[in-house]
Amino acid sequence: MPDVTSYPDGAPCWADLNAPDLESARRFYGAALGWEFQDKGPEYGHYTMCLWKGKPVAALMPPPPSAEGLTPAWNVYLRTSDVDATIAAVEAGGGKIAMGPHDVPAAGRLAFAFDPQGASFGLWQPEGHEGAALYGEPGAMCWNEIYTTAGGAADAFYAGLFDYKQIQIGDGTNFDYTTWTPPGAGREACGRLRATDPAHELAAGGGQPFWSVYFAVAKVDETAEQIAALGGSVLHGPFDSPYGRLCVVRDPSGAHFSVMTLARR
Protein backbone atom coordinates (compact mmCIF):
# COMPACT_ATOMS: atom_id res chain seq x y z
CA MET A 1 0.00 0.00 0.00
CA PRO A 2 1.27 3.53 -0.73
CA ASP A 3 1.89 6.10 1.94
CA VAL A 4 -1.13 6.84 4.10
CA THR A 5 -2.22 10.47 4.34
CA SER A 6 -5.50 9.92 6.21
CA TYR A 7 -7.71 7.24 7.75
CA PRO A 8 -11.51 6.93 7.81
CA ASP A 9 -13.32 7.31 11.11
CA GLY A 10 -13.28 4.00 12.96
CA ALA A 11 -10.04 2.72 11.42
CA PRO A 12 -7.11 1.89 13.68
CA CYS A 13 -4.68 4.66 12.79
CA TRP A 14 -1.93 4.43 15.41
CA ALA A 15 -0.38 2.14 18.02
CA ASP A 16 2.01 2.81 20.86
CA LEU A 17 3.65 0.66 23.48
CA ASN A 18 3.75 1.20 27.24
CA ALA A 19 7.50 0.57 27.59
CA PRO A 20 8.81 0.48 31.17
CA ASP A 21 12.39 0.26 29.86
CA LEU A 22 12.59 2.53 26.84
CA GLU A 23 16.17 1.65 25.90
CA SER A 24 15.48 -2.07 26.06
CA ALA A 25 12.39 -1.63 23.88
CA ARG A 26 14.37 0.35 21.34
CA ARG A 27 17.01 -2.36 21.13
CA PHE A 28 14.43 -5.11 20.73
CA TYR A 29 12.16 -3.47 18.16
CA GLY A 30 15.08 -1.94 16.28
CA ALA A 31 16.54 -5.41 15.76
CA ALA A 32 13.27 -7.29 15.28
CA LEU A 33 11.43 -4.86 12.97
CA GLY A 34 14.23 -2.65 11.66
CA TRP A 35 12.87 0.54 13.20
CA GLU A 36 14.78 3.72 13.89
CA PHE A 37 13.66 6.08 16.64
CA GLN A 38 13.00 9.75 17.31
CA ASP A 39 12.68 10.85 20.94
CA LYS A 40 10.27 13.80 21.19
CA GLY A 41 12.09 15.08 24.26
CA PRO A 42 11.26 15.74 27.91
CA GLU A 43 8.44 18.16 27.07
CA TYR A 44 6.55 15.17 25.59
CA GLY A 45 7.65 12.72 28.29
CA HIS A 46 10.22 11.16 25.91
CA TYR A 47 7.45 9.83 23.70
CA THR A 48 9.48 8.07 21.01
CA MET A 49 8.43 7.72 17.39
CA CYS A 50 9.24 4.43 15.65
CA LEU A 51 10.35 5.18 12.11
CA TRP A 52 10.39 2.99 9.02
CA LYS A 53 11.83 4.56 5.87
CA GLY A 54 12.05 7.74 7.92
CA LYS A 55 8.27 7.84 8.51
CA PRO A 56 6.37 7.28 11.77
CA VAL A 57 4.67 3.89 11.99
CA ALA A 58 4.20 3.47 15.78
CA ALA A 59 5.60 4.79 19.06
CA LEU A 60 7.15 3.78 22.37
CA MET A 61 5.87 5.49 25.50
CA PRO A 62 7.60 5.32 28.88
CA PRO A 63 5.05 5.24 31.71
CA PRO A 64 4.36 8.59 33.37
CA PRO A 65 5.69 9.12 36.92
CA SER A 66 2.28 8.32 38.42
CA ALA A 67 1.98 4.98 36.60
CA GLU A 68 5.34 3.23 36.76
CA GLY A 69 3.61 -0.12 37.35
CA LEU A 70 1.54 0.09 34.17
CA THR A 71 1.48 -3.28 32.40
CA PRO A 72 3.52 -3.29 29.17
CA ALA A 73 1.05 -3.48 26.28
CA TRP A 74 0.43 -2.18 22.80
CA ASN A 75 -2.35 0.42 22.65
CA VAL A 76 -4.52 0.73 19.53
CA TYR A 77 -6.10 4.07 18.57
CA LEU A 78 -9.26 4.42 16.49
CA ARG A 79 -9.51 7.50 14.31
CA THR A 80 -12.37 9.91 14.88
CA SER A 81 -13.14 13.29 13.39
CA ASP A 82 -14.89 14.34 16.63
CA VAL A 83 -13.44 12.80 19.77
CA ASP A 84 -15.99 14.49 22.04
CA ALA A 85 -18.92 13.02 20.10
CA THR A 86 -17.28 9.60 20.13
CA ILE A 87 -16.75 9.85 23.89
CA ALA A 88 -20.48 10.51 24.28
CA ALA A 89 -21.20 7.41 22.17
CA VAL A 90 -18.80 5.33 24.30
CA GLU A 91 -20.64 6.31 27.47
CA ALA A 92 -24.07 5.83 25.88
CA GLY A 93 -23.04 2.32 24.84
CA GLY A 94 -21.95 1.31 28.33
CA GLY A 95 -18.23 1.99 28.00
CA LYS A 96 -16.08 4.16 30.26
CA ILE A 97 -13.64 6.98 29.61
CA ALA A 98 -10.31 6.38 31.33
CA MET A 99 -8.47 9.53 30.21
CA GLY A 100 -9.13 12.71 28.29
CA PRO A 101 -10.07 14.24 26.11
CA HIS A 102 -6.98 16.40 25.98
CA ASP A 103 -5.03 18.17 23.28
CA VAL A 104 -1.59 17.18 22.06
CA PRO A 105 -0.15 20.42 20.64
CA ALA A 106 0.23 20.43 16.84
CA ALA A 107 -0.77 16.75 16.71
CA GLY A 108 -4.36 16.03 17.70
CA ARG A 109 -6.93 15.37 20.39
CA LEU A 110 -6.76 12.22 22.48
CA ALA A 111 -8.92 10.10 24.75
CA PHE A 112 -8.61 6.61 26.21
CA ALA A 113 -11.59 4.35 26.89
CA PHE A 114 -12.77 0.92 27.99
CA ASP A 115 -15.52 -0.96 26.19
CA PRO A 116 -18.25 -2.67 28.30
CA GLN A 117 -16.25 -5.92 28.42
CA GLY A 118 -13.10 -4.16 29.64
CA ALA A 119 -10.98 -3.88 26.49
CA SER A 120 -9.01 -0.63 26.40
CA PHE A 121 -8.60 1.47 23.27
CA GLY A 122 -7.56 4.96 22.27
CA LEU A 123 -9.45 7.59 20.31
CA TRP A 124 -7.49 9.95 18.09
CA GLN A 125 -8.73 13.11 16.38
CA PRO A 126 -5.89 14.21 14.09
CA GLU A 127 -4.88 17.83 13.95
CA GLY A 128 -1.44 17.53 12.38
CA HIS A 129 -0.54 13.91 13.06
CA GLU A 130 -2.77 11.61 11.01
CA GLY A 131 -1.33 8.39 12.42
CA ALA A 132 0.92 5.75 10.89
CA ALA A 133 2.34 7.15 7.65
CA LEU A 134 2.75 3.66 6.17
CA TYR A 135 0.43 0.67 6.36
CA GLY A 136 0.50 -2.89 5.06
CA GLU A 137 4.16 -3.18 4.15
CA PRO A 138 7.09 -4.73 6.04
CA GLY A 139 7.96 -2.56 9.02
CA ALA A 140 4.47 -1.07 9.34
CA MET A 141 1.18 -1.96 10.97
CA CYS A 142 -0.97 -4.23 8.80
CA TRP A 143 -4.01 -5.27 10.87
CA ASN A 144 -5.75 -4.91 14.23
CA GLU A 145 -8.37 -7.01 15.97
CA ILE A 146 -10.12 -7.27 19.29
CA TYR A 147 -10.14 -10.54 21.24
CA THR A 148 -13.24 -10.91 23.43
CA THR A 149 -15.53 -13.53 24.92
CA ALA A 150 -18.62 -11.47 24.03
CA GLY A 151 -18.58 -11.35 20.24
CA GLY A 152 -22.08 -10.03 19.60
CA ALA A 153 -21.84 -7.45 22.38
CA ALA A 154 -18.52 -6.16 21.03
CA ASP A 155 -19.94 -5.94 17.49
CA ALA A 156 -22.90 -3.92 18.75
CA PHE A 157 -20.86 -1.57 20.94
CA TYR A 158 -18.28 -0.61 18.32
CA ALA A 159 -20.89 -0.35 15.55
CA GLY A 160 -22.60 2.17 17.81
CA LEU A 161 -19.42 4.26 17.73
CA PHE A 162 -18.59 4.10 14.02
CA ASP A 163 -21.45 2.36 12.14
CA TYR A 164 -19.16 -0.33 10.78
CA LYS A 165 -20.32 -2.79 8.14
CA GLN A 166 -19.67 -6.07 9.95
CA ILE A 167 -19.34 -9.39 8.10
CA GLN A 168 -19.03 -12.83 9.67
CA ILE A 169 -16.21 -14.74 7.93
CA GLY A 170 -16.32 -17.85 10.14
CA ASP A 171 -19.09 -20.27 11.05
CA GLY A 172 -20.12 -18.10 13.98
CA THR A 173 -19.62 -20.95 16.45
CA ASN A 174 -16.27 -22.71 16.29
CA PHE A 175 -14.70 -19.76 14.51
CA ASP A 176 -16.57 -16.55 15.26
CA TYR A 177 -14.79 -13.70 13.48
CA THR A 178 -16.27 -10.51 12.05
CA THR A 179 -14.50 -7.98 9.86
CA TRP A 180 -15.37 -4.31 10.29
CA THR A 181 -15.45 -1.77 7.45
CA PRO A 182 -15.98 1.93 8.27
CA PRO A 183 -18.55 3.87 6.23
CA GLY A 184 -17.14 4.91 2.88
CA ALA A 185 -13.96 2.87 3.30
CA GLY A 186 -12.73 0.72 0.45
CA ARG A 187 -11.57 -2.17 2.64
CA GLU A 188 -11.95 -3.79 6.04
CA ALA A 189 -10.17 -1.83 8.75
CA CYS A 190 -10.10 -4.30 11.64
CA GLY A 191 -11.74 -7.40 13.06
CA ARG A 192 -13.27 -9.07 16.09
CA LEU A 193 -12.47 -12.60 17.26
CA ARG A 194 -14.60 -14.33 19.88
CA ALA A 195 -12.30 -16.26 22.16
CA THR A 196 -13.42 -19.88 22.45
CA ASP A 197 -10.64 -20.71 24.91
CA PRO A 198 -10.35 -17.60 27.11
CA ALA A 199 -7.60 -19.11 29.26
CA HIS A 200 -5.41 -19.28 26.16
CA GLU A 201 -6.53 -16.52 23.81
CA LEU A 202 -6.98 -13.82 26.45
CA ALA A 203 -3.84 -14.67 28.38
CA ALA A 204 -1.98 -11.85 26.62
CA GLY A 205 -4.54 -9.40 27.95
CA GLY A 206 -4.25 -10.62 31.51
CA GLY A 207 -7.55 -12.45 31.11
CA GLN A 208 -9.31 -9.32 29.84
CA PRO A 209 -10.49 -8.65 26.27
CA PHE A 210 -7.88 -6.66 24.40
CA TRP A 211 -6.98 -5.05 21.09
CA SER A 212 -4.07 -6.65 19.23
CA VAL A 213 -1.70 -5.10 16.70
CA TYR A 214 -0.10 -6.83 13.71
CA PHE A 215 3.10 -5.67 12.03
CA ALA A 216 4.05 -6.79 8.53
CA VAL A 217 7.43 -8.43 7.99
CA ALA A 218 9.16 -9.81 4.90
CA LYS A 219 9.77 -13.33 6.25
CA VAL A 220 7.75 -14.20 9.31
CA ASP A 221 9.62 -17.42 10.15
CA GLU A 222 12.94 -15.59 10.26
CA THR A 223 11.42 -12.77 12.32
CA ALA A 224 9.97 -15.26 14.81
CA GLU A 225 13.40 -16.86 15.27
CA GLN A 226 14.97 -13.43 15.73
CA ILE A 227 12.36 -12.40 18.29
CA ALA A 228 13.14 -15.50 20.35
CA ALA A 229 16.87 -14.85 20.08
CA LEU A 230 16.35 -11.28 21.29
CA GLY A 231 14.63 -12.43 24.47
CA GLY A 232 11.04 -12.41 23.25
CA SER A 233 8.69 -15.38 23.09
CA VAL A 234 6.82 -17.13 20.28
CA LEU A 235 3.31 -17.86 21.56
CA HIS A 236 1.64 -19.37 18.49
CA GLY A 237 2.89 -20.21 15.02
CA PRO A 238 4.14 -19.35 12.53
CA PHE A 239 1.10 -20.66 10.64
CA ASP A 240 -0.69 -19.95 7.37
CA SER A 241 -3.99 -18.12 6.97
CA PRO A 242 -5.91 -16.99 3.89
CA TYR A 243 -4.39 -13.54 4.40
CA GLY A 244 -0.77 -14.54 4.90
CA ARG A 245 1.60 -16.34 7.24
CA LEU A 246 1.59 -15.06 10.80
CA CYS A 247 2.95 -15.58 14.28
CA VAL A 248 1.78 -14.41 17.70
CA VAL A 249 4.68 -13.23 19.84
CA ARG A 250 5.62 -11.39 23.02
CA ASP A 251 8.44 -8.91 23.55
CA PRO A 252 10.88 -9.23 26.50
CA SER A 253 8.72 -6.95 28.66
CA GLY A 254 5.65 -9.16 28.12
CA ALA A 255 3.79 -7.04 25.55
CA HIS A 256 1.88 -9.13 23.01
CA PHE A 257 1.77 -8.46 19.26
CA SER A 258 1.70 -10.38 15.97
CA VAL A 259 3.96 -10.38 12.94
CA MET A 260 2.74 -11.33 9.50
CA THR A 261 3.96 -11.86 5.96
CA LEU A 262 0.99 -10.75 3.88
CA ALA A 263 -0.30 -12.96 1.10
CA ARG A 264 0.03 -11.53 -2.38
CA ARG A 265 -3.24 -10.36 -3.83
Side-chain angles (χ1 to χ4, degrees):
M1 178 176 289
D3 295 358
V4 180
T5 57
S6 65
Y7 291 84
D9 278 12
C13 64
W14 189 243
D16 59 23
L17 171 69
N18 297 327
D21 185 336
L22 189 58
E23 288 307 312
S24 175
R26 287 173 61 141
R27 287 193 299 271
F28 173 80
Y29 286 97
L33 298 179
W35 288 342
E36 297 179 337
F37 303 96
Q38 180 185 56
D39 189 327
K40 301 298 286 184
E43 64 271 31
Y44 289 96
H46 293 286
Y47 194 81
T48 299
M49 292 293 189
C50 306
L51 306 178
W52 177 252
K53 296 181 179 178
K55 298 180 180 181
V57 292
L60 308 176
M61 177 176 61
S66 60
E68 288 87 351
L70 196 65
T71 301
W74 278 98
N75 308 302
V76 175
Y77 294 80
L78 305 179
R79 198 266 194 199
T80 175
S81 56
D82 188 339
V83 72
D84 296 275
T86 306
I87 283 173
V90 167
E91 295 176 325
K96 297 180 180 179
I97 302 304
M99 183 185 74
H102 71 255
D103 295 316
V104 181
R109 192 160 167 79
L110 166 71
F112 218 74
F114 291 94
D115 71 18
Q117 284 71 51
S120 62
F121 61 100
L123 296 169
W124 181 251
Q125 179 183 327
E127 296 173 359
H129 173 65
E130 291 291 335
L134 297 170
Y135 185 94
E137 66 171 70
M141 193 163 61
C142 65
W143 187 244
N144 302 88
E145 65 196 10
I146 181 172
Y147 290 80
T148 181
T149 55
D155 288 345
F157 171 77
Y158 287 96
L161 304 185
F162 296 111
D163 195 27
Y164 296 112
K165 178 182 179 181
Q166 297 172 326
I167 297 177
Q168 175 66 245
I169 64 170
D171 60 12
T173 302
N174 296 313
F175 179 52
D176 183 0
Y177 196 110
T178 55
T179 60
W180 299 354
T181 303
R187 60 173 180 83
E188 304 95 336
C190 50
R192 184 274 300 159
L193 173 64
R194 181 175 62 83
T196 54
D197 182 2
H200 170 67
E201 292 169 313
L202 299 186
Q208 291 291 319
F210 69 98
W211 277 89
S212 179
V213 59
Y214 287 63
F215 295 108
V217 296
K219 296 179 180 180
V220 69
D221 293 75
E222 292 182 7
T223 301
E225 291 178 2
Q226 189 173 31
I227 284 170
L230 291 166
S233 304
V234 175
L235 303 179
H236 184 37
F239 61 93
D240 293 318
S241 80
Y243 305 98
R245 188 163 174 79
L246 63 107
C247 186
V248 183
V249 299
R250 187 166 52 206
D251 75 14
S253 75
H256 163 286
F257 64 104
S258 295
V259 288
M260 185 173 187
T261 299
L262 296 170
R264 294 183 179 180
R265 295 189 178 184

